[in-house]
Amino acid sequence: FTAMAMRKIGSSAPAATDDAMSAAKSAILGKMDEAIAGVSVTSTTNYSQAAGKIAANYAQRVPVGNLTPRIRGIATEIGQSVGGKSIPLSMLKTWRTDIGKLTTSPDGPTREAAHALRQLIDGMTDRALIAAGRSADIPALSAAREQYRNYLAIVDAISKAGPDAAVGILSPDRLRSAIVRTQGKSSYVTGGGTDLGQLAKAGAGVLDTAPTVLPGGARSIPSLAYGALGAGGFYAGGPAGAVAALAAPA
């Protein structure tokens, strides 16, 4: 399951180890930077107003003492870029990094505001590519964005305590929770998120959370064990073989 999840961030590593995650992050960010290299990204009054509305809505939903200033900060910076000023690549990278951190916030409104700002900035970038006659680069950028969103979810899931996480092994339940946080509850529930969400759903439906204590420290996944035995029996001896295999002691 972990190896399949790692494929969603372009990695062939079997586990989400430090080295594997670092290499995947560098490759993804490289693709994103390459896709928009040489393109002048600018804001407009519409984008500025939309960013301001996101920040204002966020401020209304969160007590003053719990507000994250960076939400308003990014909205302000988008507004300051109106008037044909090209947004430096360094600024886009800063927004990307800061928003990535905000999407893992324990506060729901903060995460939602971060998701909204990310969609807004993605729209600005796509608009710039189209204006530059480089629409062909949009699919590559979209793919890299999806990998980055998956990367953030895996980082969130693997950073939790536990022996499996310590060695880079993902739990379907933890990954599913991380995807809800980093990609948004609405996107996950409606299937509007990345395909990593579909993998997490499928994994959670098959792989139960392992018991904390079992004799000898062994793990038992009956549904998979019997399924594998049945499949093996079928290919070895047809339906009769499958029945025999399922009847055999586990």
Side-chain angles (χ1 to χ4, degrees), residues 53-155:
K53 186 177 295 185
I54 292 170
N57 180 59
Y58 168 67
Q60 291 176 353
R61 299 178 60 194
V62 180
V64 175
N66 295 336
L67 286 173
T68 300
R70 191 59 186 135
I71 296 292
R72 170 57 68 180
I74 294 175
T76 299
E77 290 163 3
I78 291 174
Q80 292 172 343
S81 302
V82 175
K85 298 178 182 178
S86 179
I87 302 171
L89 183 58
S90 59
M91 178 67 77
L92 291 172
K93 289 181 178 180
T94 299
W95 288 346
R96 181 173 62 204
T97 300
D98 291 348
I99 288 174
K101 293 176 181 178
L102 292 171
T103 60
T104 60
S105 168
D107 179 64
T110 299
R111 295 195 303 270
E112 292 172 15
H115 295 315
L117 285 174
R118 178 168 56 193
Q119 291 178 351
L120 196 68
I121 294 169
D122 287 349
M124 290 168 52
T125 308
D126 290 349
R127 171 179 168 274
L129 285 170
I130 294 172
R134 289 175 49 180
S135 300
D137 289 325
I138 292 179
L141 179 58
S142 296
R145 285 172 181 158
E146 180 165 316
Q147 287 186 339
Y148 187 63
R149 293 171 67 189
N150 289 339
Y151 166 82
L152 292 174
I154 293 176
V155 167

Side-chain angles (χ1 to χ4, degrees), residues 233-249:
F234 180 84
Y235 285 112
V243 173
L246 290 174

Side-chain angles (χ1 to χ4, degrees), residues 5 9 11 23 37 83 182 210 214:
I9 61 173
S11 173
T182 60
L214 277 177

Side-chain angles (χ1 to χ4, degrees), residues 157-168:
I158 213 68
S159 63
K160 306 304 178 185
D164 282 351
V167 294

